[in-house]
Amino acid sequence: MTKNTFLLLLLLFSNLYAISQNKEKLFEESYNLLSSMTADESSYNFKKAVFSVENAYLDGNLDTTFIYKQINLMHVLSNSIINSKKLDYAERDKDVVNKRASIFSILCDTLPLSIDGKIYKYEPFGYDFNDVFGHNAPENLFVSKLVKTHKGNCHSLPYLYKILCEEIGIEANLALAPNHIYIKHRSIKDGWYNTELTSRMFPIDAWIMASGFVHVDAITNGVYMKALNNKESIALVLVDLANNYNSKFPDNDGMFILKCTETAIKNYPNFATALILRAETHYKQIEKNEDKIQRDLLFEELQKEYEHIHQMGYRNMPEDMYFNWLVSLKEERSKYENKKLNTFNKN
Amino acid sequence: MRNNNLLVIRNLITLSIVLCATYVNGQSIMPVLPEIKPPLPSLYPSGTNSLLTPSANQPSSNDNNYQRRQNQQIMNEVDKNEKLREQTMQSVQSDIEELRSTIYYDLPSLSKMPGSKYYRDVFDQMLNIDINNYSVKDVNFQIENAYFENQIDKEEFDSTIKQTADFILAKMKERNFDTNSNTAKNFMLFEFFTQPMQVKGFKQKHFPIKYDFEDYWGRDNWAKMFVTKLLKTNTGQCHSMPLLYLILAEAINAEAYLALSPNHSYIKFQDEKDKWYNLELTNGMLTVSSFILNNGYITAEAMQNKIYMQNLTKQQMLSQFYTDLATGYIHKFGYDEFVEKVINKALELYPTSINANMVKANYNEARLKYVIKQLGINTQTQDGRNKILNYPKAIEILQQMQSQYKIVDDLGFQLMPADAYEKWLGSLKETKNKEESEKLAKQFKGTIIKFKN
């Protein structure tokens, strides 16, 4: 009897063990995919990268068929928008600019749609004020959640925007601000300009610069406001993967996190979030270390890490401050609106 | 590509040389150029017509293949000839155009203009300067003096600076400040610009230096931006005020730097605790970085490329002086190859200098306009603009201009209109900025008192 129970227990545990290993395997696979994208530019695919991370967190249960179908629908929609309305823009890059405008419309505008002679109202994507940092559930930051519910935040909205741009064959650069992601584009007529999806407008750089939350050095060093290239964008996704892993396996030994952050930092050296996550993980590991001499040495190392982060110009921005700042954009719209872009702005 | 057409071209060249010669000889009959038509193969050579569309009634595959091959061959031949003809026409056209009259692709030299010599002399002298050890006072004086054709008295200028420096040092001693402290020296300099000042033993009373709103960009009178003008009138603007500050800092051995922002320059210095201060001399206030960033015309790219808000090194400052020399020359005489020479030197010292890159872009534009005018190209219409395609040398100049403008764009430059600039400068007087300035001034003063004695 006892022997049987023991066997049963053993079976049960090994089974559980296998499941948890399986779950971890998905994270490993996602990491390998992302890291291969940074190593070989030709395998880069932002859509794949993002959904592999979300799929890993969802234990492989992401309904990619549905998501890809929805994205395809938006692709079709974008084509019909391009055909039905043209911007008042005449430079050589007008095709690209019109394509960008179509993606912006899909995310931000209410559109009348004619399907089989019937007119439908297309509802744009909205902002979900609930859990914008994904503290309660990382899924709240997911693009798949945004596609399903049409509600997202400053993480999923720019990601989806970038995915859609790449679907229709144009580029979009992600850019960072404290606790925030937005889009940067460059056009012949207007140079670099910002696309802000949460407040659906095109703010000038002073919006972030003069906020008072960003140190000048952080801008100079490209910690913020830099138009991120593809590798740097994958670095962002790598940190998402690490954060999801932490949330899924809170008692992990930190090795997977360090692997993710190292690769992220290699591809985007002044990426503050990755540097901080790495330092925090080091801190957790040091705390567990029993050897006092070794611990002191490691602490010294850790101090250097934090010093470096500070020197880059990174300063912590409290989360409620972030909200006030985000709202300020709507309130002070006229002050921060890019007046050159009158072809886009609509009130 | 030309080899094949050499013969045709050579014939044409001799022809056009003759034509030119008659023109030059003053015979006013406008020669009519012969129409050039190299033998053009007809697209469908007679006899092959039936081969081009193989009839479906003839299924003989051997025949068919043969026909197809032959057709292909013929088509290739036709394409080749057509290409050849186009190439010939193009090169011939450009040869004719170039020979028809002499086109000057370089701007005419202005060296014969009275007074331009002074600028060339200053440039030659500047080339011998030790980049890491030169006098800001002397270089700036030379540049201003070139504008006045060496009519200003250097000795008088030097003695004014010396007296002012002595005055400031005496005031420091009177106030019991540490004369070795960089912070204390900068504090005194800042007071000199902004406060009335009197020292025992000195006859004259000093009044704060005021901002001169009239023609502050020196558009009507270039000398409005000069330090010599400032000393004469006790009023200045955002070019002369920081420069005088640096000249006086040099005289009392204080460390301070020039920094740039759109249409603007100001002073930066570091206190003993490595804290940086921004001094806005045009309205005598201390500013925080966010005030400068808030002018709305500084892009993230401009910051990443470090074109604004950086303390200029001695070498970058020298580059700035070369740019000053070039802009003074342009204002007085105009654009010529001398401008290019000076600005290339400025860029050699400071490749990402926004001011030098702008001057170079403007120079390239002036050169292109000069060439386009000679060629009689109408830039208003597409057809007119296409005409430039006949002139390889002009295309090169156009491309030079475009690539220079691209450099300026890539640096993150954005044009700040004059009214936006004035509004921004005026906003310093807003309560929020005033309070910030007063707070900083207190900190500033606080640092000094510690260094007293």
Side-chain angles (χ1 to χ4, degrees):
Chain A
M1 176 74 191
T2 42
K3 200 180 163 191
N4 273 347
T5 328
F6 180 73
L7 260 176
L8 196 73
L9 271 174
L10 195 73
L11 249 165
L12 203 69
F13 273 119
S14 65
N15 228 347
L16 277 175
Y17 182 67
I19 289 171
S20 124
Q21 247 199 343
N22 218 8
K23 284 179 181 171
E24 280 194 59
K25 209 178 131 213
L26 282 166
F27 278 90
E28 282 293 342
E29 279 170 10
S30 179
Y31 170 81
N32 290 337
L33 179 75
L34 299 180
S35 126
S36 73
M37 283 185 192
T38 62
D40 174 17
E41 194 89 36
S42 68
S43 66
Y44 162 85
N45 182 331
F46 193 69
K47 182 172 80 174
K48 261 193 188 166
V50 169
F51 291 125
S52 91
V53 171
E54 297 185 3
N55 189 41
Y57 184 81
L58 299 168
D59 304 331
N61 292 325
L62 180 72
D63 187 352
T64 39
T65 327
F66 170 76
I67 302 288
Y68 281 21
K69 206 175 138 195
Q70 290 295 312
I71 287 176
N72 262 339
L73 258 171
M74 289 180 231
H75 187 166
V76 174
L77 188 55
S78 145
N79 285 341
S80 50
I81 294 172
I82 292 166
N83 290 330
S84 65
K85 65 173 189 184
K86 291 270 185 284
L87 294 171
D88 177 19
Y89 184 96
E91 298 287 340
R92 266 182 292 131
D93 55 347
K94 59 174 183 290
D95 286 348
V96 175
V97 172
N98 271 310
K99 282 183 176 176
R100 291 171 187 167
S102 78
I103 303 298
F104 185 79
S105 274
I106 291 175
L107 291 186
C108 304
D109 290 344
T110 308
L111 304 163
L113 283 187
S114 163
I115 301 169
D116 295 335
K118 273 190 189 168
I119 304 290
Y120 294 89
K121 207 171 98 188
Y122 169 83
E123 291 286 347
F125 290 84
Y127 193 81
D128 186 358
F129 281 95
N130 178 36
D131 193 26
V132 293
F133 297 107
H135 290 327
N136 299 339
E139 290 108 301
N140 285 328
L141 303 181
F142 283 7
V143 177
S144 50
K145 182 249 171 192
L146 170 67
V147 170
K148 248 179 250 162
T149 62
H150 268 227
K151 276 190 175 298
N153 46 45
C154 79
H155 185 269
S156 52
L157 281 164
Y159 272 25
L160 179 62
Y161 183 97
K162 185 172 166 66
I163 288 171
L164 291 176
C165 279
E166 292 179 0
E167 281 298 291
I168 64 166
I170 58 171
E171 287 174 22
N173 298 97
L174 298 173
L176 300 176
N179 300 337
H180 194 67
I181 306 175
Y182 62 101
I183 300 286
K184 284 189 94 154
H185 280 310
R186 194 176 175 172
S187 72
I188 290 177
K189 186 163 158 258
D190 304 303
W192 282 107
Y193 63 89
N194 307 321
T195 302
E196 172 49 40
L197 298 163
T198 40
S199 33
R200 301 175 181 179
M201 63 178 280
F202 306 93
I204 55 170
D205 281 348
W207 161 58
I208 298 164
M209 286 181 173
S211 66
F213 307 123
V214 180
H215 195 276
V216 180
D217 294 348
I219 307 168
T220 312
N221 294 326
V223 173
Y224 297 129
M225 305 183 77
K226 179 181 187 297
L228 302 179
N229 61 31
N230 290 342
K231 283 185 177 189
E232 289 160 337
S233 304
I234 295 295
L236 259 57
V237 184
L238 274 163
V239 167
D240 295 340
L241 183 70
N243 279 328
N244 291 347
Y245 187 89
N246 259 344
S247 141
K248 190 131 207 157
F249 311 106
D251 301 319
N252 69 74
D253 61 359
M255 293 319 282
F256 184 76
I257 308 297
L258 288 180
K259 196 162 80 173
C260 288
T261 48
E262 289 295 350
T263 312
I265 292 160
K266 204 176 102 198
N267 288 288
Y268 180 7
N270 284 353
F271 182 16
T273 321
L275 289 162
I276 291 165
L277 183 58
R278 183 175 71 177
E280 280 170 355
T281 313
H282 280 155
Y283 177 72
K284 274 187 209 158
Q285 287 183 330
I286 294 167
E287 271 192 323
K288 285 180 196 157
N289 201 323
E290 307 274 308
D291 186 343
K292 195 184 172 306
I293 298 166
Q294 223 181 19
R295 223 167 51 192
D296 288 351
L297 271 173
L298 287 170
F299 257 122
E300 248 172 63
E301 289 290 310
L302 184 65
Q303 223 158 8
K304 273 186 208 150
E305 278 184 53
Y306 276 114
E307 248 167 56
H308 172 65
I309 293 168
H310 188 83
Q311 252 163 18
M312 284 180 343
Y314 172 84
R315 304 290 182 271
N316 182 36
M317 180 182 189
E319 285 175 4
D320 52 341
M321 244 184 213
Y322 167 78
F323 270 119
N324 294 335
W325 171 66
L326 207 58
V327 172
S328 82
L329 192 54
K330 287 213 159 167
E331 285 167 355
E332 299 180 80
R333 200 178 178 113
S334 65
K335 189 173 168 193
Y336 292 122
E337 198 155 50
N338 192 338
K339 290 175 186 73
K340 287 196 302 176
L341 296 178
N342 52 1
T343 38
F344 299 114
N345 287 332
K346 44 194 162 295
N347 281 315
Chain B
M1 92 179 201
R2 276 192 168 195
N3 282 348
N4 302 336
N5 316 324
L6 212 60
L7 196 74
V8 189
I9 294 168
R10 195 177 296 152
N11 286 342
L12 261 159
I13 288 174
T14 22
L15 185 71
S16 32
I17 286 172
V18 174
L19 287 174
C20 279
T22 54
Y23 190 62
V24 171
N25 284 343
Q27 304 187 358
S28 57
I29 323 140
M30 271 304 281
V32 182
L33 286 173
E35 229 177 293
I36 308 124
K37 269 191 182 157
L40 181 71
S42 112
L43 217 59
Y44 298 100
S46 57
T48 56
N49 258 348
S50 59
L51 299 175
L52 281 171
T53 42
S55 150
N57 310 341
Q58 295 174 323
S60 153
S61 69
N62 257 350
D63 265 18
N64 221 347
N65 271 346
Y66 171 73
Q67 281 175 359
R68 214 176 282 158
R69 239 180 298 136
Q70 205 176 14
N71 284 348
Q72 197 56 46
Q73 226 171 350
I74 291 162
M75 291 306 283
N76 287 347
E77 189 88 353
V78 169
D79 278 355
K80 213 171 106 189
N81 278 323
E82 179 63 16
K83 255 186 212 151
L84 204 72
R85 190 187 69 90
E86 267 172 28
Q87 285 172 3
T88 319
M89 287 298 285
Q90 259 175 26
S91 49
V92 161
Q93 188 70 23
S94 68
D95 280 341
I96 295 173
E97 295 285 1
E98 268 177 43
L99 284 163
R100 190 177 275 166
S101 64
T102 322
I103 307 285
Y104 296 101
Y105 288 101
D106 287 317
L107 288 161
S109 170
L110 302 168
S111 61
K112 292 282 180 291
M113 287 180 88
S116 84
K117 181 184 162 294
Y118 299 101
Y119 277 85
R120 288 162 206 272
D121 289 348
V122 172
F123 177 66
D124 291 339
Q125 285 166 34
M126 281 172 78
L127 290 176
N128 295 321
I129 277 175
D130 176 359
I131 293 166
N132 298 310
N133 185 26
Y134 63 89
S135 159
V136 169
K137 169 180 68 91
D138 291 347
V139 174
N140 184 63
F141 179 83
Q142 281 184 312
I143 294 169
E144 294 187 7
N145 207 11
Y147 182 81
F148 291 117
E149 307 188 347
N150 285 2
Q151 292 303 303
I152 330 176
D153 188 355
K154 175 81 166 38
E155 256 174 60
E156 194 191 316
F157 178 77
D158 282 352
S159 89
T160 310
I161 298 297
K162 172 98 184 27
Q163 274 168 23
T164 314
D166 288 345
F167 180 81
I168 292 167
L169 286 172
K171 185 75 195 174
M172 281 184 82
K173 283 188 188 121
E174 189 186 289
R175 296 268 292 267
N176 237 353
F177 282 174
D178 179 359
T179 44
N180 290 318
S181 152
N182 194 41
T183 317
K185 283 186 216 170
N186 274 295
F187 182 80
M188 219 58 236
L189 279 169
F190 186 54
E191 281 227 331
F192 176 81
F193 273 79
T194 53
Q195 308 286 329
M197 208 178 259
Q198 232 174 342
V199 188
K200 267 178 216 154
F202 283 79
K203 265 183 284 170
Q204 72 272 60
K205 188 179 178 206
H206 166 74
F207 292 98
I209 301 167
K210 285 216 175 77
Y211 188 70
D212 185 357
F213 286 95
E214 198 191 306
D215 188 24
Y216 59 85
W217 271 346
R219 282 189 178 131
D220 301 326
N221 178 8
W222 191 251
K224 277 269 189 182
M225 302 198 293
F226 285 179
V227 173
T228 41
K229 180 259 172 189
L230 190 165
L231 289 176
K232 218 177 275 168
T233 60
N234 211 36
T235 62
Q237 42 75 282
C238 78
H239 181 262
S240 57
M241 290 167 108
L243 271 178
L244 177 65
Y245 191 99
L246 292 178
I247 290 169
L248 291 173
E250 185 177 84
I252 64 167
N253 215 2
E255 215 171 275
Y257 304 89
L258 192 72
L260 306 173
S261 72
N263 300 345
H264 196 66
S265 65
Y266 61 99
I267 293 290
K268 277 182 89 146
F269 81 91
Q270 228 175 352
D271 71 9
E272 272 78 2
K273 280 193 234 150
D274 296 341
K275 182 181 160 69
W276 283 100
Y277 287 87
N278 307 317
L279 303 182
E280 186 47 61
L281 299 171
T282 53
N283 24 25
M285 286 164 82
L286 291 133
T287 59
V288 288
S289 310
S290 66
F291 162 73
I292 301 160
L293 290 167
N294 213 359
N295 78 29
Y297 293 86
I298 300 181
T299 63
E301 285 68 32
M303 296 301 292
Q304 282 151 22
N305 291 313
K306 305 190 175 168
I307 65 173
Y308 295 133
M309 300 175 73
Q310 301 285 323
N311 46 305
L312 297 188
T313 63
K314 201 91 179 153
Q315 178 170 337
Q316 290 168 335
M317 190 65 209
L318 187 59
S319 159
Q320 189 65 27
F321 279 126
Y322 276 112
T323 307
D324 278 355
L325 185 74
T327 48
Y329 183 90
I330 293 164
H331 189 266
K332 197 161 181 181
F333 307 106
Y335 289 95
D336 71 355
E337 90 296 340
F338 176 68
V339 173
E340 192 184 23
K341 208 161 73 176
V342 177
I343 217 63
N344 281 343
K345 185 69 198 167
L347 286 169
E348 181 192 317
L349 292 170
Y350 183 10
T352 55
S353 160
I354 188 61
N355 293 332
N357 274 301
M358 288 291 287
V359 172
K360 184 153 187 188
N362 291 338
Y363 164 79
N364 285 344
E365 190 181 318
R367 191 173 167 205
L368 180 70
K369 278 185 180 159
Y370 172 72
V371 172
I372 276 181
K373 204 178 161 196
Q374 291 177 78
L375 297 174
I377 288 173
N378 176 12
T379 51
Q380 298 303 312
T381 65
Q382 188 61 42
D383 280 352
R385 284 195 292 269
N386 282 344
K387 209 184 150 198
I388 200 173
L389 295 173
N390 296 324
Y391 307 94
K393 184 83 181 138
I395 295 174
E396 201 180 296
I397 292 168
L398 171 72
Q399 283 167 344
Q400 270 171 15
M401 182 193 81
Q402 284 168 339
S403 64
Q404 185 58 35
Y405 272 119
K406 186 167 182 304
I407 292 174
V408 172
D409 273 354
D410 286 348
L411 284 174
F413 174 80
Q414 264 191 340
L415 187 73
M416 186 178 194
D419 56 337
Y421 173 73
E422 279 164 34
K423 204 176 147 201
W424 168 71
L425 212 54
S427 75
L428 247 192
K429 295 286 179 199
E430 282 167 16
T431 335
K432 182 178 145 253
N433 289 320
K434 262 191 171 164
E435 280 169 5
E436 245 155 16
S437 172
E438 275 158 24
K439 204 174 90 193
L440 283 168
K442 255 187 205 162
Q443 283 179 17
F444 189 10
K445 216 170 170 178
T447 348
I448 307 210
I449 286 161
K450 282 181 216 154
F451 292 103
K452 191 161 121 182
N453 280 330

